[in-house]
Amino acid sequence: MNYDLTDLRLFVAMAEERNLTRGAARAYLAPSSASHRLRRLEEALNTTLFERQTRGLALTRAGEALLRNARQVLASIEQMHANLSPFATGIRGHVSLWANTHATHTFLPDDLAGFLKRHPQVSVSLEERTSAEIVVAVASGEIEVGVLADSGTGAGVDLAPYRQDRLVLIVPAGHALAARAKVGFAEVLDHAFVMLHAGSAIHTFTMNAAAALGRHLDVRIQVRSFEAVCRMVGAGVGIGLVPRGAVPAAGLSEPPVVVEMDEPWAQRDLQICVRRGVVLSGFAQALVDALRAGSH
């Protein structure tokens, strides 16, 4: 069955406006043309998409299903245009890079800025994913380069050092733990936590570390960035577990106090991940070389 993109855009516009005339106007069509296209679409699908009511149009069950899928199709087309537009503007190369939360929010912004400045003919798309997702995507060839914190041993990938970092505890100034040089994880589990959002790698890691001790964390609030965690902790909302590299050196009105974690898993070195035995594209290799150079 062939679908006309104009028909799909018209259908979405009519569904959102709940009115044929307004939907037609959004699709830059005359109402008569819009009505003809809708009738043709319903005939092709052999089902009714709208119920005609005195106040306008209401989606049928089939119409609701088509609306969900039509939005996905149109979004995919927009993404395709976005992916191709760099080539139309003269950029001659593109690299997809997946990285875990830690790398995305700490070291990569500066390193990628420097790389792109030195390579104006390249564009990079950076996606935040968990280390497990990155290993699978690199091993399968879905992406060429990843940055992660897990080893990925035996997963068909090769790893190279990127940056060394440690997870540290941050607490408000004056907190009972602020005077400690280092603490064990089990010692802090009775305190309320400020956490990065659910689904982030460090959120999953911290929850699993607590579960391994048979405990649950008291999470007072979840936020979207390490900086927000630091601000919340500094303001006294709770304590937090973050990479040392994510703690701002300045700029916080109430900076948190950093306390070392006396745990073997606190060392969270980041690594560059590529598919084993595969020759990278020129731009991907240039990116890997730039990231490795930044690790020294």
Side-chain angles (χ1 to χ4, degrees):
M1 186 177 294
N2 294 321
Y3 292 93
D4 188 311
L5 290 179
T6 300
D7 289 345
L8 290 182
R9 290 192 176 95
L10 170 65
F11 168 75
V12 170
M14 292 173 59
E16 292 176 347
E17 295 290 342
R18 297 187 178 276
N19 182 278
L20 187 148
T21 301
R22 291 197 298 270
R26 270 181 51 178
Y28 303 103
L29 294 170
S32 58
S33 178
S35 178
H36 172 72
R37 282 180 172 272
L38 174 61
R39 184 168 60 253
R40 189 177 62 183
L41 180 61
E42 289 181 324
E43 290 173 353
L45 296 172
N46 195 31
T47 189
T48 301
L49 300 174
F50 292 104
E51 293 178 356
R52 281 68 171 174
Q53 300 178 340
T54 55
R55 293 187 175 183
L57 302 175
L59 286 168
T60 63
R61 294 289 294 276
E64 291 173 353
L66 179 60
L67 180 60
R68 288 193 299 271
N69 287 277
R71 283 172 168 163
Q72 292 173 354
V73 169
L74 295 176
S76 296
I77 291 172
E78 290 302 319
Q79 185 61 56
M80 179 184 70
H81 288 318
N83 292 342
L84 291 174
S85 62
F87 298 97
T89 56
I91 294 176
R92 297 188 296 276
H94 180 80
V95 182
S96 293
L97 171 65
W98 288 10
N100 70 346
T101 312
H102 183 172
T104 301
H105 289 268
T106 53
F107 304 112
L108 279 176
D110 287 341
D111 287 348
L112 288 178
F115 172 77
L116 292 171
K117 187 175 181 178
R118 294 189 300 272
H119 297 83
Q121 75 278 35
V122 183
S123 66
V124 175
S125 61
L126 173 62
E127 292 191 33
E128 182 180 320
R129 300 295 184 102
T130 66
S131 293
E133 290 174 323
I134 295 167
V135 168
V136 171
V138 171
S140 67
E142 183 178 354
I143 59 170
E144 288 189 281
V145 186
V147 176
L148 45 75
D150 296 339
S151 66
T153 303
V157 299
D158 288 328
L159 302 170
Y162 175 45
R163 295 295 181 94
Q164 292 185 331
D165 207 354
R166 284 186 64 83
L167 292 178
V168 295
L169 187 74
I170 54 173
V171 302
H175 192 277
L177 296 171
R180 297 281 299 276
K182 59 175 58 178
V183 295
F185 190 52
E187 299 179 75
V188 306
L189 294 179
D190 290 329
H191 298 275
F193 272 74
V194 178
M195 296 280 290
L196 214 58
H197 58 92
S200 63
I202 196 166
H203 183 283
T204 302
F205 179 86
T206 308
M207 289 296 190
N208 288 342
L213 297 174
R215 300 289 299 277
H216 297 283
L217 292 184
D218 174 13
V219 180
R220 291 199 67 193
I221 188 170
Q222 299 179 41
V223 294
R224 300 296 299 183
S225 70
F226 285 128
E227 181 182 357
V229 173
C230 293
R231 290 185 181 278
M232 287 284 185
V233 170
V237 174
I239 66 175
L241 195 65
V242 300
R244 181 186 294 277
V247 181
L252 298 182
S253 59
E254 298 175 293
V257 176
V258 175
V259 182
E260 292 290 336
M261 289 296 300
D262 188 16
E263 298 289 349
W265 46 254
Q267 189 67 31
R268 296 287 284 170
D269 295 339
L270 297 171
Q271 302 179 80
I272 302 164
C273 176
V274 298
R275 192 177 183 185
R276 182 171 298 153
V278 172
V279 177
L280 298 177
S281 65
F283 295 119
Q285 185 62 58
L287 176 59
V288 169
D289 292 342
L291 295 180
R292 295 193 66 176
S295 68
H296 301 312

